[in-house]
């Protein structure tokens, strides 16, 4: 199993550009989520999904869209990038929701918005 | 809302010594889970240890153990026989029991641990 994969590893955007951060898992996990990590901060939840076709907002959803058309993929879309979205983005998945399930994290995508 | 506080931004320890990282949290939930995650320079998030709040016994994983004090809402991580590979950021995290309806892992701001040869 590849686990949780994220592409790209690093991206530079100009303000106002759009892009999609890709996340995929091959473990047939129901639950997937996106976090952002800023300097001096822990990870903060952006959006999550408890299954194909079901998504919901986390702590910091503004400026981001998600969809979950398949169990495997959970892309994160930035419609109009802003410098405040400069961050490291992590995707995570677990078999089901809840703390009893181990969450597996991807390697992260570093995004720089100029 | 839950909050997680790590009061030590940076710590250092000599190789082979023992170090304890502190974490406190605030919640109104009675059932929940607590975690310590390690983030080495590669940025990969690695689960170190997990504690279920309903279990009184402290969790251990090889050189890593926790001191879980539910009444005090304290969850410290002890690393014994520190190794150079333990150098990393360590994050404490909290999640309510699944039945509470919230699926969010709440993280502390992290403690940067340096192991000195």
């Amino acid at each position: 199993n590849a686990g949780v994969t994220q592409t790209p590893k690093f991206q530079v955007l100009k303000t106002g550009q759009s892009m999609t951060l890709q996340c995929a898992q091959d473990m047939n996990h129901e639950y997937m989520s996106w976090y952002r990590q800023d300097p001096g901060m822990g990870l903060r939840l952006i959006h999550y999904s408890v299954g194909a076709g079901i998504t919901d907002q986390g702590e910091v959803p503004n400026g981001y869209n998600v969809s979950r058309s398949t169990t495997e993929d959970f892309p994160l879309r930035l419609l109009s990038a802003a410098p405040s979205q400069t961050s490291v983005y992590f995707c995570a998945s677990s078999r089901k929701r809840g703390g009893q399930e181990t969450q597996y994290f991807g390697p992260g995508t570093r995004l720089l918005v100029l | 809302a839950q909050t997680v506080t790590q009061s030590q931004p940076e710590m250092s320890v000599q190789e082979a010594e023992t170090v304890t990282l502190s974490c406190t949290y605030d919640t109104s939930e009675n059932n929940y889970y607590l975690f310590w995650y390690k983030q080495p320079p590669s940025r990969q998030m690695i689960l170190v240890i997990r504690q279920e709040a309903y279990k009184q016994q402290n969790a251990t994983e090889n050189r890593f153990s926790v001191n879980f004090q539910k009444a005090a809402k304290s969850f410290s991580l002890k690393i014994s026989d520190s190794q150079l590979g333990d150098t990393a950021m360590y994050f404490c995290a909290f999640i309510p029991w699944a039945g509470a309806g919230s699926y969010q892992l709440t993280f502390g701001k992290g403690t940067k641990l340096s192991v000195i040869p």
Side-chain angles (χ1 to χ4, degrees):
Chain A
N1 287 350
V4 180
T5 57
Q6 291 183 237
T7 55
K9 284 188 171 58
F10 176 63
Q11 183 73 43
V12 179
L13 286 180
K14 293 181 180 177
T15 296
Q17 287 185 317
S18 63
M19 81 161 294
T20 299
L21 279 64
Q22 301 291 346
C23 173
Q25 51 87 12
D26 61 357
M27 298 174 281
N28 200 32
H29 285 174
E30 284 186 2
Y31 181 77
M32 297 185 73
S33 55
W34 276 103
Y35 291 86
R36 62 177 288 173
Q37 182 180 27
D38 301 304
M41 305 282 289
L43 279 68
R44 292 181 293 167
L45 184 67
I46 304 172
H47 285 285
Y48 65 91
S49 169
V50 298
I54 306 169
T55 64
D56 207 343
Q57 297 180 352
E59 181 185 355
V60 289
N62 291 342
Y64 307 95
N65 280 348
V66 292
S67 60
R68 184 103 178 264
S69 56
T70 68
T71 300
E72 294 77 20
D73 301 298
F74 190 44
L76 179 72
R77 297 185 186 86
L78 285 70
L79 297 179
S80 179
S84 61
Q85 294 179 303
T86 293
S87 190
V88 180
Y89 292 84
F90 288 94
C91 180
S93 76
S94 61
R95 192 174 60 95
K96 291 185 181 297
R97 71 187 192 203
Q100 73 278 11
E101 303 290 338
T102 298
Q103 291 211 31
Y104 296 86
F105 284 83
T109 292
R110 186 167 159 239
L111 178 66
L112 175 61
V113 183
L114 301 175
Chain B
Q2 285 76 226
T3 59
V4 177
T5 302
Q6 294 179 248
S7 58
Q8 305 149 316
E10 292 193 41
M11 294 189 73
S12 62
V13 62
Q14 293 281 19
E15 197 175 3
E17 296 295 308
T18 295
V19 64
T20 298
L21 281 58
S22 301
C23 172
T24 58
Y25 57 94
D26 188 26
T27 182
S28 58
E29 302 286 342
N30 190 49
N31 294 322
Y32 48 85
Y33 299 82
L34 294 160
F35 307 84
W36 279 98
Y37 280 89
K38 171 185 177 181
Q39 187 180 42
S42 66
R43 287 206 305 268
Q44 182 71 47
M45 293 292 288
I46 302 165
L47 178 64
V48 174
I49 200 164
R50 169 170 53 202
Q51 175 79 41
E52 292 90 343
Y54 62 86
K55 289 186 177 179
Q56 291 187 336
Q57 186 174 4
N58 289 326
T60 62
E61 286 288 342
N62 301 314
R63 299 183 294 107
F64 298 88
S65 62
V66 298
N67 183 4
F68 173 50
Q69 301 289 329
K70 190 174 183 180
K73 295 181 181 175
S74 171
F75 183 61
S76 60
L77 175 70
K78 185 172 82 171
I79 305 174
S80 304
D81 185 26
S82 297
Q83 301 175 359
L84 296 178
D86 296 334
T87 292
M89 284 289 290
Y90 287 82
F91 292 97
C92 180
F94 169 103
I95 192 169
W97 171 64
S102 171
Y103 315 132
Q104 177 171 333
L105 259 175
T106 300
F107 285 85
K109 293 185 178 182
T111 296
K112 184 177 180 181
L113 177 67
S114 299
V115 179
I116 302 166

